[in-house]
């Protein structure tokens, strides 16, 4: 039987941390995040629990999108953002990472910027050992 162990490098580890740098904020703070995926069991289980409640509504409108984003801010502070560097308060003083301050920071981000974080954390390519260069593969 053939050995396909080389494919293991494409698995996502639930605890691999990568940096999401926010270039749009002075000082360019960096959030140390883990994947917002099934590999992150705590996040995924809580997301599934909340998803059942979301499904019960069956109505998608602007209020639902906003509510989902606000729920995600809480989930991200609890399960996705594991630390940070370069995060300062409104007086320019460095802030030590805590879940509470993380939620405050994420809640203060404009929706579009928080959505960039969500997109980054849910993109598995950012968390695998050997990301696939789709453009390079397409040339072949």
């Amino acid at each position: 039987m053939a050995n396909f162990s080389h494919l293991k490098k494409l698995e996502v580890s639930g605890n691999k941390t990568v940096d999401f740098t926010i270039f749009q904020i002075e000082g360019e703070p960096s959030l140390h995040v883990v994947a917002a995926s099934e590999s992150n069991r705590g996040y995924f289980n809580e997301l599934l629990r909340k998803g059942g409640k979301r499904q019960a509504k069956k109505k998608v409108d602007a209020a639902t999108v906003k509510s989902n984003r606000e729920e995600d801010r809480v989930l991200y502070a609890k399960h996705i953002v594991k630390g940070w560097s370069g995060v300062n308060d409104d007086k320019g003083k460095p802030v030590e990472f805590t879940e509470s301050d993380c939620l405050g920071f994420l809640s203060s981000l404009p929706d579009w910027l928080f959505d960039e974080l969500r997109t980054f954390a849910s993109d598995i390519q950012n968390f695998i050992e050997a990301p696939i260069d789709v453009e390079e593969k397409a040339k072949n």
Side-chain angles (χ1 to χ4, degrees):
M1 178 180 280
N3 182 338
F4 299 104
S5 61
H6 64 287
L7 299 176
K8 289 287 186 190
K9 67 183 177 188
L10 297 174
E11 289 185 8
V12 177
S13 168
N15 55 10
K16 179 179 181 179
T17 305
V18 297
D19 287 347
F20 174 77
T21 302
I22 308 174
F23 298 104
Q24 299 88 341
I25 297 176
E26 188 177 339
E28 299 180 353
S30 196
L31 306 180
H32 315 309
V33 300
V34 295
S37 71
E38 188 175 353
S39 65
N40 182 331
R41 300 242 187 262
Y43 168 76
F44 198 67
N45 286 333
E46 198 161 338
L47 187 66
L48 289 174
R49 279 192 295 278
K50 291 181 180 294
K53 294 174 186 173
R54 290 176 182 172
Q55 286 285 45
K57 291 181 182 180
K58 292 186 182 181
K59 178 182 170 187
V60 177
D61 56 14
T64 303
V65 170
K66 183 171 179 54
S67 174
N68 290 348
R69 184 182 292 115
E70 296 312 308
E71 286 179 5
D72 279 351
R73 291 181 200 267
V74 174
L75 291 176
Y76 271 58
K78 186 174 180 181
H79 297 288
I80 303 301
V81 182
K82 299 298 182 179
W84 60 33
S85 57
V87 174
N88 299 320
D89 64 14
D90 61 351
K91 293 177 178 49
K93 182 179 173 187
V95 178
E96 292 293 320
F97 179 82
T98 65
E99 185 179 322
S100 174
D101 281 332
C102 183
L103 178 57
F105 180 79
L106 296 179
S107 296
S108 296
L109 289 176
D111 292 344
W112 66 268
L113 196 46
F114 180 68
D115 287 346
E116 282 193 19
L117 170 60
R118 291 164 82 194
T119 300
F120 179 87
S122 64
D123 184 351
I124 299 308
Q125 294 289 321
N126 293 319
F127 298 92
I128 58 176
E129 198 172 299
I132 300 166
D133 185 343
V134 176
E135 290 181 16
E136 186 64 31
K137 291 290 183 191
K139 290 178 186 176
N140 294 332

